Amino acid sequence: MEAETEESKIETETERLVLRRFSLADVAGFYGLNLDPHVLKYTGDKPFSSPDEVSKFIRNYEQYKKYGFGRWSLYLKSSNEYIGFCGLRRSAETGEVDIGFRLMQRFWHRGYAFESAKVVLELAFTRYGVDRVIARAMKDNQASHLLIQKLGMQLDSSFTESGEEWLKYELHKDVWLRYYSLK
């Protein structure tokens, strides 16, 4: 097994998943993830034009350096297969920290998004000292709304971006601590 580099550093694990920093080992998986129009449908993102563009994105990804956290690649523990990403991102414009997730379509409806998002919120509030996390989802993205609400997040507002209506949710640390201490 290759030595862990700073780029492929394991951030945390769940029962079924390993969350690790983006690395060049993710290029093929990340490229395939973002080629699927069903995966991108509600993101507002465009697919990468090539694996080289993914490599450039990963090399220039600065969230870890700037804030200590970021989005993390998701790998199945059982097979070490790349399935998508989940994690945090701090907006340079607003300072808000959002949670985001994206999985390959063949891994939808298996609980991986909830499993990874739940541990990401735990890291946000306990390891990284974040007091409030937001989530954004296009109004028509019912699956994401259900997941966001299952995480205990509350509707905050709606807004329009690039001609699409979005809903914004929030979760404060004190609410999260109460929510998960009751489970």
Side-chain angles (χ1 to χ4, degrees):
M1 183 158 173
E2 72 180 59
E4 182 179 288
T5 64
E6 184 60 25
E7 291 77 31
S8 66
K9 179 182 173 200
I10 293 175
E11 204 61 37
T12 195
E13 298 182 19
T14 67
E15 182 181 334
R16 301 179 297 167
L17 303 170
V18 176
L19 286 73
R20 63 176 81 227
R21 290 184 176 198
F22 290 163
S23 77
L24 295 179
D26 305 329
V27 170
F30 206 153
Y31 181 63
L33 173 72
N34 280 12
L35 278 181
D36 186 336
H38 297 290
V39 170
L40 290 186
K41 181 176 182 179
Y42 296 115
T43 67
D45 291 343
K46 303 238 182 295
F48 289 110
S49 62
S50 68
D52 287 340
E53 189 179 2
V54 178
S55 296
K56 183 178 180 183
F57 171 83
I58 290 171
R59 283 193 306 274
N60 294 324
Y61 191 76
E62 294 188 336
Q63 289 280 310
Y64 310 131
K65 238 184 287 183
K66 286 183 176 180
Y67 309 113
F69 56 77
R71 304 284 201 236
W72 297 296
S73 293
L74 300 175
Y75 283 85
L76 292 178
K77 277 186 176 179
S78 61
S79 63
N80 199 36
E81 183 176 4
Y82 176 91
I83 68 166
F85 67 79
C86 183
L88 305 168
R89 180 184 64 202
R90 185 177 299 275
S91 167
E93 292 82 30
T94 66
E96 291 180 311
V97 174
D98 79 16
I99 186 169
F101 42 85
R102 190 175 300 174
L103 272 66
M104 293 183 163
Q105 194 174 169
R106 69 181 183 273
F107 296 105
W108 292 358
H109 310 296
R110 297 185 189 185
Y112 295 129
F114 179 74
E115 185 175 329
S116 60
K118 184 177 172 187
V119 76
V120 163
L121 287 172
E122 181 179 347
L123 292 174
F125 296 132
T126 63
R127 183 185 294 173
Y128 297 112
V130 175
D131 290 321
R132 176 177 168 265
V133 174
I134 66 162
R136 304 163 8 118
M138 281 187 187
K139 185 176 181 182
D140 294 338
N141 188 349
Q142 293 305 310
S144 286
H145 294 291
L146 290 172
L147 174 60
I148 289 166
Q149 292 165 7
K150 185 177 177 182
L151 290 165
M153 301 187 93
Q154 300 295 312
L155 184 61
D156 175 65
S157 60
S158 64
F159 62 96
T160 302
E161 184 175 284
S162 301
E164 298 287 344
E165 189 172 351
W166 292 72
L167 300 181
K168 177 178 161 185
Y169 295 82
E170 68 177 2
L171 182 61
H172 293 266
K173 180 179 181 176
D174 60 334
V175 173
W176 179 84
L177 289 169
R178 282 196 309 274
Y179 186 78
Y180 282 103
S181 68
L182 298 174
K183 295 205 174 256

